[in-house]
Amino acid sequence: MIVSPNKIIGSLVYRTRKGLNGNSGFVKSMLDYEYSGNLFVNNEFSLWHYPGTNNEISNILLGISKHPKGALVKFPSIFNFHPIRQEKREDITLHYNLAIVCLVDSTWTTEQRESQVFDRVLRPIYEEFMKQVELCNYFIKGYGNIPHTYYEIFTTGGNAGEIMDRYGDYIDAIEIHDLTVTLNSRLCQRDLILMEEENNLVTSHVSELLNSKKNDRTNRK
C-alpha cells in the first residue's frame, strides 16, 4: 500500500480547521485579531495546506498575492516542506518538517506578537493539529508524546525583510522539525478516500485560484 505523505498532512490540516471551528472561544478570539477579515471563508475560520519545497511554496504564495482574492487563501496555513524522509523497514516511518504561519504587522514588538499572534492564533493551531495527529488512525501510536522539535519564530529585526521577499507578507511561525510518525499499514480504501476528500478541501484551492486567474486572462483576450 502506497499512501501519499502530503495527503495525510492535508487531511490533518482539514481536521484541525474543523476542530478549531468547533471551538467557540477560539473563533471569538479570532474576531479581535488584526487580520480577521482574511481568516474567514463562508463564515468559517480558514486554515490552508501548502506542500512543496521552500522555493516552490514561496513561488506559489507570491503568485497568489497577485490575485484580487489571494489574501483569503494564504494565511493562516501549514507549510509542509519537502523532501519528506521515509524510512522503509518493517514499517514505514515518516519524518515531517512543518511550519504553522500567520500574518503580522512588521511594526509589532515581540511582546505584541506574543499576545496577538502566538497566544491568539499560532499556539492554538499547533495544539489542535497535534491533537488531530494523536486522534487519527493514520499512524501506529506509541506511548508518550510524538517526537518532534518545536520552534517559535518571531520574525522581528533584520530577517523580516527576507520573509517579505520570500512570501510576499510579514509572517510569524511555529516550526515543527522532524515530526516522526509510523504509518499504519492497515488503512482501508475508505480511509484513503476520506483522506483524499479532506486533503482537497485545504489544498486544491491553490490550483483552483490560479486556474481562475488564467481563465480571467483568457476571457479578457
Side-chain angles (χ1 to χ4, degrees), residues 40-213:
F40 291 86
V41 177
N42 298 324
N43 295 319
E44 287 197 346
F45 171 74
S46 62
L47 179 66
W48 308 106
H49 173 226
Y50 287 93
T53 64
N54 206 324
N55 284 339
E56 181 183 2
I57 293 171
S58 170
N59 290 335
I60 288 173
L61 291 176
L62 290 173
I64 289 176
S65 295
K66 300 174 183 177
H67 193 283
K69 296 183 179 180
L72 293 175
V73 295
K74 290 182 70 176
F75 306 113
S77 57
I78 296 183
F79 296 167
N80 176 9
F81 294 110
H82 285 208
I84 299 169
R85 182 160 63 95
Q86 301 184 48
E87 295 179 36
K88 297 193 175 184
R89 301 174 183 173
E90 183 176 349
D91 295 308
I92 298 175
T93 301
L94 304 173
H95 298 263
Y96 288 104
N97 293 299
L98 309 170
I100 304 168
V101 301
C102 72
L103 286 169
V104 299
D105 188 314
S106 63
T107 65
W108 286 351
T109 64
T110 294
E111 184 178 6
Q112 288 173 302
R113 291 164 187 252
E114 180 83 41
S115 61
Q116 292 295 317
V117 180
F118 285 86
D119 283 345
R120 195 185 297 275
V121 187
L122 292 178
R123 291 177 188 137
I125 293 175
Y126 165 79
E127 291 173 356
E128 183 65 32
F129 176 78
M130 293 307 300
K131 175 183 174 182
Q132 295 303 325
V133 173
E134 292 279 2
L135 289 175
C136 78
N137 67 334
Y138 298 151
F139 311 122
I140 298 173
K141 303 300 192 304
Y143 294 100
N145 295 327
I146 296 174
H148 65 285
T149 303
Y150 173 100
Y151 295 89
E152 294 189 346
I153 311 298
F154 293 75
T155 57
T156 55
N159 65 342
E162 297 176 10
I163 293 294
M164 180 62 163
D165 290 341
R166 178 168 288 277
Y167 299 117
D169 290 282
Y170 294 104
I171 57 176
D172 281 354
I174 286 176
E175 293 187 357
I176 304 170
H177 291 203
D178 199 24
L179 179 69
T180 304
V181 288
T182 300
L183 187 65
N184 178 5
S185 61
R186 297 185 179 181
L187 294 177
C188 65
Q189 190 64 26
R190 182 179 178 181
D191 293 321
L192 300 179
I193 291 173
L194 182 60
M195 181 193 298
E196 175 95 25
E197 291 173 349
E198 291 177 339
N199 171 73
N200 287 343
L201 290 170
V202 294
T203 305
S204 63
H205 66 285
V206 176
S207 57
E208 291 171 0
L209 187 72
L210 295 179
N211 285 337
S212 70
K213 184 176 180 181

